[in-house]
Amino acid sequence: MNEEQRLHNSQVNEVKKTEKDYSQYFQSVYVAPSLKDAKQRGKEEIAYHKDFTIHPEFLGMGQGRKFFIRTFGCQMNEHDTEVMAGIFLQLGYTPTQNVQEANVILLNTCAIRENAENKVFGELGHYKKIKRDNPDVLIGVCGCMSQEESVVNKILKTYNQVDMIFGTHNIHRLPHILNEAYLSKEMVIEVWSKEGDVIESLPKVRRGEIKAWVNIMYGCDKFCTYCIVPYTRGKERSRRPEDIIQEIRQLAAQGYKEVTLLGQNVNAYGKDFDDLTYRLGDLMNDLRQIDMPRIRFTTSHPRDFDDHLIEVLSKRGNLVEHIHLPVQSGSSSMLKLMARKYNREQYMELVRKIKAAIPEVALTTDIIVGFPNETDEQFEETMSLYKEVGFEHAYTYIYSPREGTPAAKMEDNVPMAVKKHRLQRLNNLVNELSAKAMHAYDGEIVEVLVEGESKKNSAVLAGYTRTSKLVNFVGTPDIIGKLVLVKITNTKTWSLEGELIEVLSGQEVGVL
Ligand code: SAH
Ligand code: SF4
Ligand code: F3S
């Protein structure tokens, strides 16, 4: 953390303490990111704030104004957008889906690969005209890209239609940042490159009424050599179990049917607690007692996936039989270069244990092809591991160097044509095994959480099985949001079709 930022943070803390002197909030803000600072890991800097409140001064700020947020990237970003929407609503803004009529436009960005960043720059380019036509509109960039120095410098240089840039640690500061942007003629930049805090009681506008996301931890300490996330999201820090349990109880009371627990590496949950020994297995065991029909989690890192968690998951009930377990490569030497901290054998042993405990489990994964030095043989090891595990789906990516990461210093020496060819072969295998997994459902009766009408045909309903398979079947809209039993009559590569058998009352959930 640089001096300016340290000073700024201490001012913020002071304001929090005195609760009366808000004058410092109105000073012009300029705190730019630093990847070097973001890399630091210490213990002392994590602050735990129980209550988030909006200063009364800001409450009418959004009267007569509309906000629009475009979200890129992972579920964590989607969920951050729900929080920002919650803050906007408390400030009196109304949401709009139409960027043309928005008074505030936010881009919640993702930095994971170069093409993710290019999409954002492309979008920003479109906003030049909007700003020209209506100079009063505020345009903001937040999310993971804003944590990168190079991005902030590029925006400063070439995208002067942007009014504010704020980081992933600054979301709760949105009211102050907006206020600054209204007052200031300069671009407002507030990006803390700190390890991060845990802030409770943030408002949220959830996107749906059936499924909800719940953060259980933030940040990542794994520092896989290719990955930018530990720099953009800070240190691994867990929410207290009682706060998570309370949030999920509330969601159950509101009628939600499924919760996905979020974290970049949920298996490290609780490792940072000094005062209690409580890990993901313990949390899942407690969540089993809650009347929430389905609980999932993402993403799990193989490294911290312990036996207790497997044992708890094998009790099933509301804990579903789907585990997303990114492997990245089937070659132990690639895994070593990636600093994944497990090898092929250890990964396979974990898969064996999970399958022994939960034979019907659906395993899905993430894979990177064309990492520096990857040979044809090493890529073949990925192909063979994929088959050996029998993954039911995968997100596959061509390696993309990220500035500031250790891998970016390695020579990106696999030619693009070879990378593309490997990706194509892998995707063919992914499709083949997905179709095979789907085919196994033929004639089976599955539990489906009905989410809405099918995108292609409004007379058809769509929902997901416990193993995250899309199911389409004929039914009436009154069963949307309910759990039903469907008999599968036809299978495709990416979806299942079936006939409605029964609407479940809620008591029988998890019996299949
Ligand atoms: N925390 C998760 C992954 C989050 S990022 C985990 O470790 O399992 C989602 C996926 O993006 C990663 O699993 C990886 O496959 C991919 N990814 C991350 N950085 C990448 C890069 N520099 N180039 C290509 N793919 C990348
Ligand atoms: Fe990135 Fe690795 Fe952390 Fe996943 S575990 S977010 S791939 S550093
Ligand atoms: Fe992207 Fe940040 Fe998520 S880099 S994948 S939005 S944590």
Side-chain angles (χ1 to χ4, degrees), residues 112-113 226 264 299 326 328 340 366 368 397-398 400 402:
I112 202 82
R113 282 168 293 274
Y226 50 82
Q264 279 303 345
T299 297
Q328 314 299 356
R340 287 291 288 181
D366 291 351
I368 296 176
Y397 308 103
I398 285 178
S400 168
R402 307 316 293 134

Side-chain angles (χ1 to χ4, degrees), residues 13 16 19 21 60 76 90 93 123 139 150 265 276 319 325 336 348 394 418 478 485-486:
N13 290 340
K16 270 208 180 89
E19 274 297 311
D21 178 13
M76 252 145 289
Q90 286 200 352
Y93 288 84
E123 185 80 4
I139 299 179
S150 57
N265 171 16
L276 74 166
L319 311 181
L325 196 61
K336 191 151 192 221
M348 287 309 300
V418 174
D478 55 299
L485 294 183
V486 173

Side-chain angles (χ1 to χ4, degrees), residues 70 72-73 107 110 113-126 145:
R70 171 105 199 260
F72 300 81
L107 287 185
C110 171
R113 282 168 293 274
E114 196 186 352
N115 58 4
E117 297 205 346
N118 289 344
K119 273 190 225 160
V120 169
F121 285 122
E123 185 80 4
L124 266 184
H126 296 149
M145 274 170 74

Side-chain angles (χ1 to χ4, degrees), residues 394-406:
Y395 296 104
T396 56
Y397 308 103
I398 285 178
Y399 166 68
S400 168
R402 307 316 293 134
E403 196 183 317
T405 62

Side-chain angles (χ1 to χ4, degrees), residues 210 257 449-453 461-462 476-483:
I210 302 169
K257 295 292 181 348
L449 173 57
V450 189
E451 289 184 22
E453 289 163 357
L461 298 178
T476 47
D478 55 299
I479 60 167
I480 292 173
K482 297 204 163 129
L483 284 143

